[in-house]
Amino acid sequence: MSRKYRIDRVEVTGATPFLGYDRCGAPMYSRDPERVMSWLSDAWRYRFNQLRSRRSRYLMGAKNVLVPISDNPDMRSIKETREDRSWLGSCPDLILLSCQYLENTEWFAATKRRKTNVKHGRKPGPMPSFRRKRSGLRFTVLRNNGKGYRIVTYSRKHAEVIIGGTNPAGHRIPGDGARFQVHIHFRLSRPVLDSTSIHVNWTARTISFTSPIPEHDHTPTGRRTGIDVGVRHEAALSDGRLLDLPLAKLKQLDKRIDKLQRAQARCVREAGYSNAKPYLKHGPSKRYLELGRQARALQERKTRIITDWQHKTSRWLVDRHDLIVMETLQAANMTRKPKPKPDPDKPGQWLPNGRNAKRALNKGMQQASLSRLRGMIEYKSKAAGITFLTVNPAYTSQTCHHCGHVAKENRESQAVFHCHACGWRDNADVNAAKNILTNGLRILQAQAVAEARSGRDTSETRIQDTRPQAGQAEPMAVLQRRKTGRTGNTR
């Protein structure tokens, strides 16, 4: 987990850092915060790309043949790099050492993600490439028991991170000393946890502290829940609760973003272009770029609001329940564009295919980030030691939880479920959540029966619903579980 803070200012104390040589061969020294932070960012990116150039990929058209992604793999060590590139001589060691860990993590995470995408029938996606300068000024420092950096808290709202470095012999100003310190002052919006590394984004003026996920003891509650996710309601629980995103705040941000995008479109029209592509090719105006920056900032704020809500909601669900059952959704497949429908009577023309309506639905699904919410609940459930299951969502929105009748006509609208067989009425999302929970309980019962038949030691544990619905028949009264209180994931 990580916590991000806003950087207030940066100052350099002690010796003046050596930043290399200029074009004329004269040594450069500077205490200017902008130059020092840019120098640290460039050094980190240079070492990162060195390590990235050593990676290999499979050759197209050949079997099990690996070729380097770079034409000239850089195999130099940190010591050899410092000797060849004098401007890296004063860079702190733990900034350069962090590149090894981050490059490995990013590469293998991408490999795992590609395998998962192929397994689910999606495009594998690209592998990570080199870090470009246009991606922003940033660097990472490992803590290493306080050798990389230390944190000093001055007040309830003010703290700083101190990063130490040393000018190499032969590049020191006489009488100025050898050691220098970079003080990054930041605003304390919440307490700083024990961290293993920090990530400084100098372009955005932010600093993030990476901390291990704290252990969270779960107190058994005996509660269970099924969760149906959607666009209208982010999550509907089987006990009747409807959990929604802060839609009022998000709509306000959407209006501001639309206003900025319309202003950008006016810049394109006033310049005499019909679309933005040739306009950007010939060089956009400063106003166009500033409007784009403001729109991106608002979009990032929207993402932070949604992520914060999902973290709090997933933690609440895990703390409150011992069994969580969700539906397995392929969000990538659900947000695909509808295929065009050619008009058989008029060649070259097309029939309406509901593209505009699907566009609005896709936008809502992408904002809801349903897969991310499920991922948060899944890993927090695993850390807390509770049972998490995913089931096939087929026909859960058309099945009556009261009598089991399945019909498309049962769901009269997005919010209303009315069974045409028994007359049962309920919220459509809540009814689907109840069916999801029932399916999960059936899976657990089948697993328990299989274990009992195989001679494994099992015990009966009764899980009672905390809020039974009026007139609702209990789908299952007794649930077989292991003595450990956990079962395997069905996925």
Side-chain angles (χ1 to χ4, degrees):
M1 60 177 298
S2 63
R3 289 189 173 182
K4 186 183 295 186
Y5 303 88
R6 175 69 63 179
I7 295 177
D8 286 334
R9 69 181 190 279
V10 175
E11 59 181 355
V12 182
T13 60
T16 305
F18 170 69
L19 307 185
Y21 294 94
D22 59 13
R23 295 181 179 179
C24 299
M28 296 186 298
Y29 298 87
S30 177
R31 292 177 180 269
D32 180 43
E34 288 285 346
R35 294 189 64 183
V36 172
M37 297 298 282
S38 299
W39 163 65
L40 293 176
S41 301
D42 291 341
W44 182 85
R45 186 178 64 254
Y46 185 88
R47 180 59 183 170
F48 185 94
N49 288 337
Q50 270 188 320
L51 300 173
R52 178 56 54 81
S53 68
R54 304 176 187 177
R55 292 292 179 187
S56 300
R57 59 180 176 84
Y58 285 102
L59 184 64
M60 295 293 294
K63 186 177 182 180
N64 298 332
V65 178
L66 289 172
V67 294
I69 64 173
S70 174
D71 295 333
N72 298 309
D74 195 337
M75 307 303 295
R76 292 176 295 175
S77 64
I78 292 180
K79 181 179 179 180
E80 294 171 343
T81 304
R82 290 183 188 274
E83 294 174 354
D84 295 340
R85 296 290 186 268
S86 58
W87 63 279
L88 295 174
S90 302
C91 184
D93 291 336
L94 290 173
I95 291 182
L96 301 180
L97 289 173
S98 68
C99 300
Q100 180 73 41
Y101 171 76
L102 291 177
E103 199 275 335
N104 281 336
T105 303
E106 183 180 281
W107 188 268
F108 288 110
T111 303
K112 186 176 181 180
R113 182 176 64 250
R114 284 166 60 90
K115 291 181 179 179
T116 303
N117 290 339
V118 172
K119 179 181 178 181
H120 292 284
R122 300 190 293 263
K123 293 182 179 180
M127 290 294 290
S129 182
F130 296 95
R131 293 292 176 93
R132 308 297 180 184
K133 195 168 185 178
R134 62 175 179 269
S135 63
L137 299 174
R138 59 188 70 203
F139 62 89
T140 300
V141 190
L142 301 178
R143 186 167 191 176
N144 194 17
N145 297 323
K147 297 180 181 179
Y149 63 91
R150 58 190 179 94
I151 306 170
V152 180
T153 303
Y154 294 105
S155 64
R156 186 170 60 90
K157 292 291 185 181
H158 179 213
E160 71 171 359
V161 167
I162 303 175
I163 304 172
T166 305
N167 286 333
H171 298 91
R172 300 172 182 173
I173 300 177
D176 195 31
R179 298 182 179 275
F180 62 89
Q181 291 182 336
V182 179
H183 301 256
I184 304 176
H185 298 262
F186 60 94
R187 191 180 311 164
L188 269 179
S189 56
R190 47 186 172 174
V192 178
L193 302 177
D194 291 336
S195 58
T196 57
S197 64
I198 60 172
H199 182 76
V200 178
N201 187 337
W202 184 239
T203 302
R205 297 298 195 272
T206 60
I207 180 171
S208 303
F209 293 81
T210 302
S211 306
I213 298 177
E215 296 183 0
H216 194 86
D217 296 332
H218 177 74
T219 303
T221 61
R223 301 188 182 109
R224 63 194 179 193
T225 186
I227 303 177
D228 177 75
V229 295
V231 178
R232 179 62 180 86
H233 301 289
E234 180 78 0
L237 307 186
S238 56
D239 60 5
R241 290 184 176 90
L242 299 175
L243 308 179
D244 296 328
L245 292 169
L247 297 178
K249 186 180 297 184
L250 296 177
K251 288 181 179 179
Q252 291 179 356
L253 293 175
D254 282 334
K255 290 181 179 179
R256 295 171 61 183
I257 293 173
D258 291 341
K259 185 177 179 180
L260 293 171
Q261 291 176 344
R262 288 195 298 270
Q264 278 189 307
R266 285 197 298 270
C267 292
V268 175
R269 292 196 303 269
E270 291 172 358
Y273 295 94
S274 58
N275 57 70
K277 188 173 182 179
Y279 175 72
L280 294 174
K281 184 177 180 180
H282 289 83
S285 64
K286 292 183 178 180
R287 174 174 171 77
Y288 182 92
L289 297 176
E290 177 61 21
L291 291 171
R293 187 196 64 80
Q294 294 178 10
R296 288 191 298 272
L298 293 177
Q299 190 63 45
E300 292 173 357
R301 184 179 177 185
K302 274 185 59 180
T303 303
R304 291 194 298 270
I305 291 173
I306 296 172
T307 304
D308 177 73
W309 182 92
Q310 290 178 337
H311 271 298
K312 293 177 180 177
T313 302
S314 58
R315 171 54 59 194
W316 178 83
L317 288 169
V318 171
D319 290 344
R320 185 177 175 83
H321 302 94
D322 290 344
L323 171 66
I324 298 178
V325 186
M326 296 188 69
E327 52 188 338
T328 305
L329 295 179
Q330 299 294 342
N333 297 338
M334 298 171 63
T335 55
R336 288 178 179 173
K337 297 180 181 179
K339 295 182 179 180
K341 296 181 180 180
D343 192 343
D345 300 329
K346 300 178 181 179
Q349 298 188 17
W350 309 90
L351 297 174
N353 62 347
R355 182 177 180 179
N356 291 336
K358 191 64 170 63
R359 184 188 294 116
L361 178 62
N362 291 348
K363 182 179 179 181
M365 291 194 64
Q366 291 169 356
Q367 175 177 280
S369 302
L370 305 179
S371 298
R372 184 171 59 194
L373 175 63
R374 188 185 66 183
M376 290 180 181
I377 297 175
E378 183 175 3
Y379 83 77
K380 290 177 183 178
S381 300
K382 183 178 180 180
I386 71 172
T387 305
F388 176 84
L389 294 175
T390 56
V391 299
N392 188 352
Y395 303 105
T396 53
S397 61
Q398 302 177 13
T399 303
C400 177
H401 178 72
H402 190 263
C403 69
H405 176 65
V406 182
K408 184 178 180 180
E409 295 76 16
N410 287 346
R411 184 158 187 172
E412 296 183 351
S413 65
Q414 183 277 327
V416 178
F417 182 89
H418 180 206
C419 180
H420 288 239
C422 67
W424 172 263
R425 284 183 175 273
D426 200 351
N427 181 279
D429 295 331
V430 173
N431 178 78
K434 294 176 182 178
N435 291 326
I436 290 171
L437 176 60
T438 301
N439 293 343
L441 293 174
R442 288 173 180 168
I443 292 174
L444 288 178
Q445 188 184 44
Q447 291 178 348
V449 171
E451 290 175 358
R453 291 178 178 176
S454 63
R456 298 180 183 178
D457 185 15
T458 58
S459 62
E460 291 187 357
T461 303
R462 184 180 297 271
I463 298 182
Q464 298 179 352
D465 199 343
T466 57
R467 294 182 60 184
Q469 301 294 318
Q472 172 186 347
E474 281 290 332
M476 196 171 296
V478 177
L479 175 66
Q480 297 282 348
R481 301 182 67 188
R482 298 183 184 178
K483 287 184 178 180
T484 57
R486 297 180 63 183
T487 61
N489 197 320
T490 61
R491 291 201 293 177

